[in-house]
Coordinates of all heavy atoms in Angstrom, one line a residue:
M1 N 0.8 -1.1 0.0 CA 0.0 0.0 0.0 C 0.9 1.2 -0.1 O 2.0 1.2 0.5 CB -1.0 0.0 1.2 CG -1.9 -1.1 1.2 SD -3.0 -1.3 2.6 CE -4.1 0.1 2.4
S2 N 0.4 2.4 -0.7 CA 1.2 3.6 -0.6 C 0.1 4.7 -0.7 O -1.0 4.6 -1.1 CB 2.1 3.6 -1.9 OG 1.3 3.5 -3.1
I3 N 0.7 5.9 -0.3 CA -0.2 7.1 -0.3 C -0.5 7.6 -1.7 O 0.4 7.6 -2.5 CB 0.5 8.2 0.6 CG1 0.9 7.8 1.9 CG2 -0.4 9.4 0.6 CD1 -0.1 7.2 2.8
K4 N -1.8 7.6 -2.0 CA -2.2 8.1 -3.3 C -3.3 9.1 -3.2 O -4.0 9.2 -2.2 CB -2.7 6.9 -4.2 CG -1.8 5.8 -4.5 CD -0.7 6.3 -5.4 CE 0.3 5.2 -5.8 NZ 1.3 5.7 -6.7
I5 N -3.5 9.9 -4.3 CA -4.7 10.7 -4.5 C -5.7 9.9 -5.5 O -5.2 9.6 -6.5 CB -4.4 12.0 -5.1 CG1 -3.3 12.8 -4.3 CG2 -5.6 12.9 -5.3 CD1 -2.8 14.0 -4.9
V6 N -6.9 9.6 -5.0 CA -7.8 9.0 -5.8 C -8.9 9.9 -6.1 O -9.6 10.3 -5.3 CB -8.3 7.7 -5.0 CG1 -9.4 6.9 -5.9 CG2 -7.2 6.7 -4.6
K7 N -9.1 10.2 -7.3 CA -10.3 11.1 -7.8 C -11.4 10.2 -8.1 O -11.3 9.2 -8.9 CB -9.8 11.8 -9.0 CG -10.9 12.7 -9.6 CD -10.3 14.2 -9.9 CE -11.4 15.2 -10.2 NZ -11.4 16.2 -9.1
I8 N -12.6 10.4 -7.5 CA -13.8 9.7 -7.7 C -14.7 10.5 -8.5 O -14.7 11.7 -8.7 CB -14.3 9.1 -6.4 CG1 -14.5 10.3 -5.4 CG2 -13.3 8.1 -5.8 CD1 -15.2 9.7 -4.1
I9 N -15.9 9.8 -9.0 CA -16.7 10.4 -9.9 C -17.6 11.5 -9.3 O -18.1 12.4 -9.9 CB -17.8 9.4 -10.5 CG1 -18.6 8.7 -9.5 CG2 -16.9 8.4 -11.5 CD1 -19.7 7.8 -10.1
S10 N -17.7 11.6 -8.0 CA -18.3 12.7 -7.2 C -17.6 14.0 -7.3 O -18.0 15.0 -7.0 CB -18.5 12.3 -5.8 OG -17.2 12.3 -5.2
G11 N -16.2 13.9 -7.9 CA -15.4 15.0 -8.0 C -14.4 15.2 -6.7 O -13.6 16.1 -6.8
E12 N -14.6 14.4 -5.8 CA -13.8 14.4 -4.6 C -12.4 13.9 -4.9 O -12.3 12.9 -5.6 CB -14.4 13.6 -3.3 CG -15.6 14.4 -2.9 CD -16.4 13.5 -1.9 OE1 -16.7 12.3 -2.4 OE2 -16.5 13.8 -0.8
D13 N -11.3 14.4 -4.2 CA -10.0 13.9 -4.3 C -9.7 13.3 -2.9 O -9.6 14.1 -2.0 CB -9.0 14.9 -4.6 CG -9.1 15.6 -6.1 OD1 -9.5 14.8 -6.9 OD2 -8.8 16.8 -6.2
L14 N -9.6 12.0 -2.9 CA -9.4 11.3 -1.6 C -7.9 11.1 -1.5 O -7.2 10.9 -2.5 CB -10.0 10.0 -1.6 CG -11.5 9.9 -1.9 CD1 -12.0 8.4 -1.8 CD2 -12.3 10.9 -0.9
V15 N -7.3 11.3 -0.3 CA -5.9 10.9 -0.1 C -5.9 9.9 1.0 O -6.7 10.0 1.9 CB -5.1 12.2 0.5 CG1 -3.7 11.9 0.7 CG2 -5.2 13.4 -0.5
G16 N -5.1 8.8 0.7 CA -5.1 7.8 1.7 C -4.1 6.7 1.3 O -3.5 6.8 0.2
D17 N -4.0 5.7 2.1 CA -3.1 4.5 1.8 C -3.9 3.6 0.9 O -4.9 3.0 1.4 CB -2.8 3.9 3.2 CG -1.5 3.1 3.1 OD1 -0.9 3.1 2.1 OD2 -1.1 2.5 4.1
W18 N -3.4 3.5 -0.3 CA -4.2 2.8 -1.3 C -3.6 1.4 -1.7 O -2.5 1.2 -1.9 CB -4.1 3.8 -2.6 CG -4.8 3.2 -3.8 CD1 -4.2 2.7 -4.9 CD2 -6.1 2.9 -4.1 NE1 -5.1 2.2 -5.8 CE2 -6.3 2.4 -5.3 CE3 -7.3 3.2 -3.3 CZ2 -7.6 2.0 -5.8 CZ3 -8.5 2.8 -3.9 CH2 -8.7 2.2 -5.0
S19 N -4.6 0.5 -1.7 CA -4.2 -0.9 -2.2 C -4.8 -1.1 -3.5 O -6.1 -1.3 -3.6 CB -4.8 -1.9 -1.2 OG -4.6 -3.2 -1.7
E20 N -3.9 -1.1 -4.5 CA -4.5 -1.2 -5.9 C -5.2 -2.5 -6.2 O -6.2 -2.7 -6.9 CB -3.4 -0.9 -7.0 CG -3.9 -0.9 -8.4 CD -2.8 -0.3 -9.3 OE1 -1.8 0.1 -8.8 OE2 -3.0 -0.5 -10.5
K21 N -4.5 -3.5 -5.6 CA -5.0 -4.9 -5.8 C -6.4 -5.1 -5.4 O -7.2 -5.8 -6.0 CB -4.1 -6.0 -5.2 CG -4.4 -7.3 -5.2 CD -3.5 -8.2 -4.6 CE -3.9 -9.7 -4.7 NZ -3.0 -10.6 -4.0
E22 N -6.8 -4.4 -4.1 CA -8.1 -4.6 -3.6 C -9.1 -3.5 -3.8 O -10.2 -3.5 -3.4 CB -7.9 -5.0 -2.1 CG -7.1 -6.3 -1.9 CD -6.7 -6.4 -0.4 OE1 -6.7 -5.3 0.3 OE2 -6.4 -7.5 -0.1
S23 N -8.4 -2.3 -4.4 CA -9.3 -1.1 -4.5 C -9.7 -0.6 -3.1 O -10.9 -0.3 -3.0 CB -10.4 -1.3 -5.5 OG -10.0 -1.5 -6.7
I24 N -8.8 -0.7 -2.1 CA -9.2 -0.2 -0.8 C -8.4 0.9 -0.4 O -7.1 1.0 -0.7 CB -8.9 -1.4 0.2 CG1 -9.9 -2.4 0.1 CG2 -9.0 -0.9 1.7 CD1 -9.8 -3.7 1.0
I25 N -9.0 1.9 0.2 CA -8.3 3.1 0.6 C -8.4 3.2 2.2 O -9.5 3.1 2.7 CB -8.8 4.4 0.0 CG1 -7.9 5.7 0.3 CG2 -10.2 4.7 0.4 CD1 -8.0 6.8 -0.5
S26 N -7.2 3.3 2.9 CA -7.3 3.3 4.3 C -7.1 4.7 4.8 O -6.4 5.5 4.2 CB -6.0 2.4 4.9 OG -6.3 1.1 4.5
N27 N -7.8 5.0 5.9 CA -7.7 6.3 6.4 C -8.0 7.4 5.4 O -7.2 8.4 5.3 CB -6.5 6.6 7.2 CG -6.2 5.6 8.5 OD1 -7.2 5.5 9.1 ND2 -5.2 5.0 8.5
P28 N -9.0 7.4 4.6 CA -9.3 8.3 3.6 C -9.6 9.8 4.1 O -10.4 9.8 5.1 CB -10.3 7.8 2.7 CG -11.1 7.0 3.6 CD -10.1 6.4 4.7
V29 N -9.1 10.7 3.5 CA -9.3 12.2 3.8 C -9.6 12.9 2.6 O -9.1 12.5 1.5 CB -8.2 12.9 4.8 CG1 -8.0 12.2 6.0 CG2 -6.9 12.9 4.0
V30 N -10.2 14.0 2.7 CA -10.4 15.0 1.5 C -9.7 16.2 1.9 O -9.5 16.7 2.9 CB -11.8 15.3 1.3 CG1 -12.3 15.1 0.0 CG2 -12.8 14.7 2.2
M31 N -9.1 16.7 0.8 CA -8.3 18.1 1.0 C -9.3 19.2 0.9 O -10.1 19.2 0.0 CB -7.2 18.2 -0.1 CG -6.2 17.2 -0.2 SD -5.0 17.3 -1.3 CE -6.0 16.6 -2.8
V32 N -9.3 20.2 1.8 CA -10.1 21.3 1.9 C -9.3 22.6 1.9 O -8.3 22.6 2.7 CB -11.2 21.3 3.0 CG1 -12.2 20.2 2.9 CG2 -10.4 21.1 4.4
P33 N -9.6 23.6 1.2 CA -8.8 24.9 1.3 C -9.0 25.5 2.6 O -10.1 25.6 3.2 CB -9.4 25.7 0.3 CG -10.4 25.0 -0.5 CD -10.7 23.7 0.2
V34 N -7.9 26.0 3.3 CA -7.9 26.6 4.6 C -7.7 28.0 4.3 O -8.2 29.0 5.0 CB -6.8 25.9 5.5 CG1 -6.7 26.7 6.8 CG2 -7.0 24.5 5.8
S35 N -6.7 28.4 3.4 CA -6.4 29.8 3.0 C -6.0 29.7 1.6 O -6.0 28.6 0.9 CB -5.4 30.3 3.9 OG -4.2 29.7 3.7
K36 N -5.6 30.9 1.1 CA -5.2 30.9 -0.3 C -4.1 29.9 -0.7 O -4.2 29.3 -1.8 CB -4.7 32.3 -0.7 CG -4.3 32.5 -2.1 CD -3.9 34.0 -2.3 CE -3.4 33.9 -3.9 NZ -2.8 35.3 -4.1
D37 N -3.1 29.7 0.1 CA -2.0 28.8 -0.2 C -1.8 27.7 0.7 O -0.9 27.0 0.8 CB -0.7 29.7 -0.1 CG -0.7 30.8 -1.1 OD1 -1.1 30.7 -2.2 OD2 -0.1 31.9 -0.7
Q38 N -3.0 27.3 1.4 CA -2.9 26.2 2.3 C -4.1 25.3 2.2 O -5.2 25.8 2.0 CB -2.8 26.8 3.8 CG -2.3 25.9 4.8 CD -2.0 26.7 6.1 OE1 -2.7 27.7 6.4 NE2 -1.2 26.3 6.9
L39 N -3.8 24.0 2.3 CA -4.8 22.9 2.4 C -5.0 22.3 3.6 O -3.9 22.2 4.4 CB -4.6 21.9 1.3 CG -4.8 22.3 -0.2 CD1 -4.3 21.2 -1.1 CD2 -6.3 22.7 -0.4
G40 N -6.1 21.8 4.1 CA -6.2 21.0 5.3 C -6.8 19.6 5.0 O -7.3 19.5 3.9
F41 N -6.9 18.8 5.9 CA -7.5 17.5 5.7 C -8.7 17.3 6.6 O -8.8 17.7 7.7 CB -6.6 16.3 6.0 CG -5.4 16.2 5.2 CD1 -4.1 16.1 5.8 CD2 -5.4 16.1 3.8 CE1 -3.0 15.9 5.0 CE2 -4.3 16.0 3.0 CZ -3.0 15.9 3.7
T42 N -9.8 16.7 6.0 CA -10.8 16.2 6.8 C -11.3 14.8 6.5 O -11.1 14.5 5.4 CB -12.1 17.3 6.5 OG1 -13.2 17.0 7.5 CG2 -12.7 17.2 5.1
P43 N -11.6 14.1 7.5 CA -11.9 12.7 7.1 C -13.1 12.5 6.1 O -14.0 13.4 6.0 CB -12.4 12.1 8.5 CG -11.8 13.1 9.5 CD -11.9 14.4 8.8
W44 N -12.9 11.6 5.1 CA -14.0 11.2 4.3 C -14.9 10.3 4.9 O -14.4 9.3 5.6 CB -13.4 10.7 3.0 CG -14.4 10.4 1.9 CD1 -15.1 11.3 1.2 CD2 -14.6 9.3 1.2 NE1 -15.9 10.8 0.3 CE2 -15.5 9.4 0.3 CE3 -14.2 7.9 1.4 CZ2 -16.0 8.4 -0.5 CZ3 -14.6 6.9 0.6 CH2 -15.6 7.1 -0.4
I45 N -16.2 10.6 4.9 CA -17.2 9.7 5.7 C -16.8 9.7 7.2 O -16.4 8.7 7.8 CB -17.3 8.3 5.1 CG1 -17.5 8.3 3.6 CG2 -18.5 7.7 5.8 CD1 -17.6 6.9 3.0
P46 N -16.8 10.8 7.8 CA -16.3 11.1 9.2 C -16.9 10.2 10.3 O -16.3 9.9 11.2 CB -16.5 12.5 9.4 CG -17.6 13.0 8.5 CD -17.4 12.1 7.3
L47 N -18.2 9.8 10.0 CA -18.8 9.0 11.1 C -18.6 7.4 10.9 O -19.2 6.7 11.6 CB -20.3 9.4 11.2 CG -20.5 10.9 11.6 CD1 -22.0 11.3 11.7 CD2 -19.8 11.2 12.9
A48 N -18.0 7.0 9.9 CA -17.8 5.6 9.6 C -17.0 5.0 10.7 O -15.9 5.6 11.0 CB -17.3 5.4 8.1
E49 N -17.2 3.7 11.1 CA -16.3 3.0 12.0 C -15.1 2.4 11.2 O -14.1 2.2 11.7 CB -17.1 1.9 12.6 CG -18.1 2.4 13.7 CD -18.7 1.2 14.4 OE1 -18.2 0.2 14.5 OE2 -19.9 1.5 15.0
E50 N -15.3 2.1 10.0 CA -14.2 1.4 9.2 C -13.2 2.5 8.9 O -13.3 3.6 8.5 CB -14.8 0.9 7.8 CG -15.8 -0.3 8.1 CD -17.2 0.3 8.2 OE1 -17.5 1.5 8.1 OE2 -18.0 -0.6 8.5
K51 N -11.9 1.9 9.0 CA -10.8 2.8 8.6 C -10.4 2.4 7.1 O -9.5 3.1 6.5 CB -9.7 2.5 9.6 CG -10.0 3.0 11.0 CD -8.7 3.4 11.7 CE -9.0 3.9 13.1 NZ -9.1 5.3 13.2
E52 N -10.8 1.3 6.6 CA -10.5 0.9 5.4 C -11.8 0.8 4.5 O -12.8 0.2 5.0 CB -9.8 -0.5 5.3 CG -8.5 -0.5 5.9 CD -7.9 -1.9 5.8 OE1 -8.6 -2.9 5.6 OE2 -6.6 -1.9 5.9
I53 N -11.8 1.5 3.4 CA -13.1 1.4 2.5 C -12.8 1.0 1.1 O -11.9 1.5 0.4 CB -13.7 2.9 2.5 CG1 -14.1 3.4 3.9 CG2 -14.9 3.0 1.6 CD1 -14.7 4.7 4.1
K54 N -13.7 0.1 0.7 CA -13.4 -0.5 -0.5 C -14.2 0.4 -1.6 O -15.3 0.7 -1.4 CB -14.0 -2.0 -0.6 CG -13.8 -2.6 -2.0 CD -13.9 -4.1 -2.0 CE -13.8 -4.7 -3.3 NZ -12.4 -4.7 -3.8
L55 N -13.6 0.8 -2.7 CA -14.2 1.6 -3.7 C -14.5 0.7 -4.9 O -13.7 -0.2 -5.3 CB -13.2 2.7 -4.1 CG -12.7 3.7 -3.1 CD1 -11.8 4.7 -3.6 CD2 -13.9 4.5 -2.5
K56 N -15.6 1.0 -5.4 CA -16.0 0.3 -6.7 C -15.3 0.9 -7.8 O -15.1 2.2 -8.0 CB -17.5 0.5 -6.9 CG -18.3 -0.2 -6.0 CD -19.7 -0.1 -6.2 CE -20.6 -0.9 -5.2 NZ -22.0 -0.8 -5.4
E57 N -14.6 0.1 -8.7 CA -13.8 0.4 -9.8 C -14.6 1.5 -10.8 O -13.9 2.4 -11.2 CB -13.3 -0.7 -10.6 CG -12.4 -1.4 -9.8 CD -11.7 -2.7 -10.7 OE1 -11.5 -2.5 -11.9 OE2 -11.3 -3.7 -10.0
Q58 N -15.8 1.3 -10.9 CA -16.5 2.2 -11.9 C -16.8 3.7 -11.3 O -17.1 4.6 -11.9 CB -17.9 1.7 -12.2 CG -19.0 1.5 -11.1 CD -18.9 0.1 -10.4 OE1 -18.0 -0.5 -10.4 NE2 -20.1 -0.2 -9.9
H59 N -16.4 3.8 -9.9 CA -16.4 5.1 -9.4 C -15.1 5.8 -9.3 O -15.0 7.0 -8.8 CB -17.0 5.1 -7.9 CG -18.4 4.6 -7.8 ND1 -19.0 3.9 -6.8 CD2 -19.4 4.7 -8.8 CE1 -20.2 3.6 -7.1 NE2 -20.6 4.0 -8.3
I60 N -14.0 5.1 -9.7 CA -12.7 5.7 -9.7 C -12.4 6.3 -11.1 O -12.4 5.6 -12.1 CB -11.6 4.7 -9.3 CG1 -11.9 4.1 -7.9 CG2 -10.3 5.2 -9.3 CD1 -11.2 2.8 -7.6
L61 N -12.1 7.7 -11.1 CA -11.6 8.2 -12.4 C -10.1 8.1 -12.6 O -9.7 7.7 -13.8 CB -12.0 9.8 -12.3 CG -13.5 10.1 -12.3 CD1 -13.6 11.6 -12.2 CD2 -14.1 9.6 -13.6
T62 N -9.3 8.4 -11.5 CA -7.9 8.3 -11.7 C -7.2 8.2 -10.4 O -7.8 8.5 -9.4 CB -7.4 9.5 -12.6 OG1 -6.0 9.3 -12.9 CG2 -7.4 10.8 -11.7
I63 N -6.0 7.7 -10.4 CA -5.1 7.5 -9.2 C -3.8 8.3 -9.5 O -3.2 8.0 -10.6 CB -5.0 6.0 -8.9 CG1 -6.3 5.5 -8.6 CG2 -4.0 6.0 -7.7 CD1 -6.2 3.9 -8.5
A64 N -3.4 9.0 -8.6 CA -2.0 9.8 -8.8 C -1.2 9.7 -7.6 O -1.8 9.5 -6.4 CB -2.4 11.2 -9.2
T65 N 0.0 9.9 -7.7 CA 1.0 9.9 -6.6 C 1.1 11.4 -6.1 O 1.4 12.3 -6.9 CB 2.4 9.4 -7.1 OG1 2.1 8.0 -7.4 CG2 3.4 9.3 -5.8
P66 N 0.9 11.7 -4.9 CA 1.0 13.2 -4.4 C 2.6 13.5 -4.3 O 3.4 12.7 -4.2 CB 0.4 13.0 -2.9 CG 0.3 11.7 -2.6 CD 0.4 10.8 -3.8
D67 N 2.7 14.7 -4.3 CA 4.1 15.3 -4.1 C 4.6 14.9 -2.8 O 3.8 14.6 -1.9 CB 4.2 16.7 -4.6 CG 3.5 17.7 -3.6 OD1 3.0 17.3 -2.6 OD2 3.1 18.8 -4.1
D68 N 5.9 15.1 -2.5 CA 6.5 14.8 -1.2 C 5.8 15.6 -0.1 O 5.6 15.1 1.0 CB 8.0 15.0 -1.2 CG 8.7 14.0 -2.0 OD1 8.2 13.0 -2.4 OD2 9.9 14.3 -2.3
K69 N 5.5 16.8 -0.4 CA 5.0 17.7 0.8 C 3.6 17.1 1.3 O 3.3 17.1 2.4 CB 4.8 19.1 0.2 CG 4.4 20.2 1.2 CD 4.3 21.5 0.7 CE 3.7 22.5 1.7 NZ 3.8 23.9 1.1
L70 N 2.7 16.8 0.3 CA 1.5 16.2 0.6 C 1.6 14.9 1.4 O 1.0 14.6 2.3 CB 0.5 16.1 -0.6 CG -0.9 15.6 -0.3 CD1 -1.7 16.5 0.6 CD2 -1.6 15.5 -1.6
Q71 N 2.5 14.0 0.8 CA 2.7 12.8 1.5 C 3.2 12.9 2.8 O 2.8 12.2 3.7 CB 3.7 11.9 0.6 CG 3.2 11.3 -0.6 CD 4.2 10.4 -1.3 OE1 4.7 9.5 -0.6 NE2 4.4 10.6 -2.5
N72 N 4.1 13.7 3.1 CA 4.7 14.0 4.4 C 3.7 14.5 5.4 O 3.6 14.1 6.6 CB 5.8 15.0 4.3 CG 7.2 14.5 3.8 OD1 7.3 13.1 3.7 ND2 8.0 15.2 3.3
E73 N 2.8 15.3 4.9 CA 1.8 15.9 5.8 C 0.8 14.8 6.1 O 0.3 14.7 7.3 CB 1.1 17.1 5.2 CG 0.2 17.9 6.1 CD 0.8 18.4 7.3 OE1 2.1 18.7 7.2 OE2 0.3 18.7 8.3
Y74 N 0.4 14.0 5.1 CA -0.6 12.9 5.4 C 0.1 11.9 6.3 O -0.6 11.5 7.4 CB -0.9 12.2 4.1 CG -1.9 11.0 4.4 CD1 -3.2 11.2 4.4 CD2 -1.4 9.7 4.6 CE1 -4.2 10.3 4.7 CE2 -2.3 8.7 4.9 CZ -3.6 9.0 5.0 OH -4.5 8.0 5.2
N75 N 1.3 11.5 6.1 CA 2.0 10.5 7.1 C 2.2 11.1 8.4 O 2.0 10.4 9.5 CB 3.3 10.3 6.5 CG 3.3 9.2 5.4 OD1 2.4 8.3 5.5 ND2 4.2 9.1 4.5
R76 N 2.4 12.5 8.5 CA 2.5 13.0 9.9 C 1.2 12.9 10.7 O 1.1 12.7 11.9 CB 3.0 14.5 9.7 CG 3.4 15.2 11.1 CD 3.7 16.6 10.8 NE 2.6 17.5 10.4 CZ 1.7 18.0 11.1 NH1 1.6 17.7 12.4 NH2 0.8 18.8 10.7
M77 N 0.1 13.2 9.9 CA -1.2 13.2 10.6 C -1.9 11.9 10.7 O -2.6 11.6 11.7 CB -2.1 14.2 9.9 CG -1.6 15.7 9.9 SD -2.7 16.8 9.2 CE -3.9 17.0 10.3
F78 N -1.8 11.1 9.8 CA -2.6 9.9 9.7 C -1.8 8.6 9.5 O -2.4 7.4 9.7 CB -3.6 9.9 8.6 CG -4.5 11.0 8.7 CD1 -4.2 12.1 7.9 CD2 -5.6 11.1 9.6 CE1 -5.1 13.3 8.0 CE2 -6.4 12.2 9.7 CZ -6.2 13.4 9.0
G79 N -0.6 8.6 9.1 CA 0.2 7.4 8.7 C 1.3 7.1 9.7 O 1.1 7.2 10.9
S80 N 2.4 6.6 9.0 CA 3.4 6.1 9.7 C 4.2 7.2 10.5 O 4.9 6.8 11.5 CB 4.3 5.4 8.8 OG 4.9 6.3 7.8
G81 N 4.1 8.4 10.1 CA 4.9 9.4 10.7 C 6.3 9.5 10.0 O 7.0 10.4 10.3
I82 N 6.6 8.7 9.0 CA 7.8 8.7 8.3 C 7.7 9.9 7.3 O 6.8 10.0 6.5 CB 8.0 7.4 7.5 CG1 8.2 6.3 8.5 CG2 9.3 7.5 6.6 CD1 8.3 4.9 7.9
I83 N 8.8 10.7 7.3 CA 8.9 11.9 6.4 C 9.9 11.6 5.3 O 11.0 11.3 5.6 CB 9.3 13.1 7.2 CG1 8.3 13.4 8.3 CG2 9.4 14.3 6.3 CD1 6.9 13.7 8.0
V84 N 9.5 11.8 4.1 CA 10.3 11.6 2.9 C 11.2 12.8 2.8 O 10.6 14.0 2.7 CB 9.5 11.4 1.7 CG1 10.4 11.2 0.4 CG2 8.6 10.2 1.9
P85 N 12.5 12.8 2.6 CA 13.3 14.0 2.4 C 12.9 14.6 1.0 O 12.6 14.0 0.1 CB 14.8 13.4 2.3 CG 14.7 12.0 2.8 CD 13.2 11.5 2.6
D86 N 13.0 16.1 1.1 CA 12.6 16.9 0.0 C 13.9 17.0 -0.9 O 14.9 17.5 -0.4 CB 12.2 18.2 0.4 CG 11.7 19.0 -0.8 OD1 11.9 18.6 -1.9 OD2 11.0 20.1 -0.5
D87 N 13.8 16.5 -2.1 CA 15.0 16.6 -3.0 C 15.5 17.9 -3.4 O 16.5 18.2 -3.8 CB 14.8 15.8 -4.4 CG 14.7 14.4 -4.1 OD1 15.1 13.8 -3.0 OD2 13.9 13.6 -4.8
N88 N 14.5 19.0 -3.1 CA 14.7 20.4 -3.5 C 15.5 21.1 -2.5 O 15.8 22.3 -2.6 CB 13.5 21.1 -3.9 CG 12.8 20.4 -5.0 OD1 13.3 20.0 -5.9 ND2 11.4 20.4 -4.9
I89 N 15.7 20.5 -1.4 CA 16.5 21.2 -0.3 C 18.0 21.0 -0.5 O 18.4 20.0 -0.8 CB 16.1 20.6 1.1 CG1 14.6 20.8 1.4 CG2 17.0 21.2 2.2 CD1 14.2 20.1 2.8
I90 N 18.7 22.2 -0.5 CA 20.1 22.2 -0.7 C 20.8 21.9 0.7 O 20.5 22.6 1.7 CB 20.7 23.6 -1.2 CG1 19.9 23.8 -2.6 CG2 22.0 23.6 -1.3 CD1 20.1 25.2 -3.1
H91 N 21.7 21.0 0.8 CA 22.4 20.6 2.0 C 23.7 21.3 2.1 O 24.4 21.5 1.2 CB 22.5 19.2 2.0 CG 21.2 18.3 2.0 ND1 20.4 18.2 3.0 CD2 20.6 17.7 1.0 CE1 19.4 17.5 2.7 NE2 19.4 17.2 1.5

């Protein structure tokens, strides 16, 4: 499983730990604008007990890999806590 952005037919962009083999997204969140240059996360289906949700293939439009910044923020809040080094930082 890996962090992916899954665009579904409702227009929502889900971010979560994606299992392509099973079409399951774990700990799914939706990105919401907080300010002009900032996004926040809100749980998708916030009152659901399940942390893993199976999506029907006909409801999935596309799957994309988020940039390092988005992956790091998701991992910090919902995932392993592992932060991927930014290749753009000069050491």
Side-chain angles (χ1 to χ4, degrees):
M1 294 175 77
S2 60
I3 306 304
K4 296 290 183 183
I5 301 170
V6 181
K7 182 135 188 116
I8 57 176
I9 61 172
S10 66
E12 294 168 299
D13 292 328
L14 308 179
V15 178
D17 204 1
W18 177 248
S19 170
E20 187 172 349
K21 181 179 178 184
E22 301 168 339
S23 295
I24 290 176
I25 191 163
S26 299
N27 297 315
V29 297
V30 235
M31 295 177 283
V32 292
V34 175
S35 67
K36 182 180 176 188
D37 298 324
Q38 205 171 22
L39 290 172
F41 295 129
T42 188
W44 186 59
I45 314 177
L47 300 177
E49 288 187 23
E50 295 83 6
K51 294 200 183 268
E52 295 183 341
I53 299 184
K54 182 164 180 65
L55 299 177
K56 294 182 178 181
E57 288 185 31
Q58 65 264 30
H59 294 155
I60 300 169
L61 293 176
T62 192
I63 300 166
T65 302
D67 64 17
D68 287 346
K69 185 176 179 181
L70 181 60
Q71 285 188 51
N72 286 340
E73 191 61 23
Y74 179 87
N75 278 329
R76 187 179 69 75
M77 296 180 77
F78 302 100
S80 65
I82 296 172
I83 304 299
V84 177
D86 188 348
D87 293 335
N88 297 324
I89 296 176
I90 300 173
H91 299 283

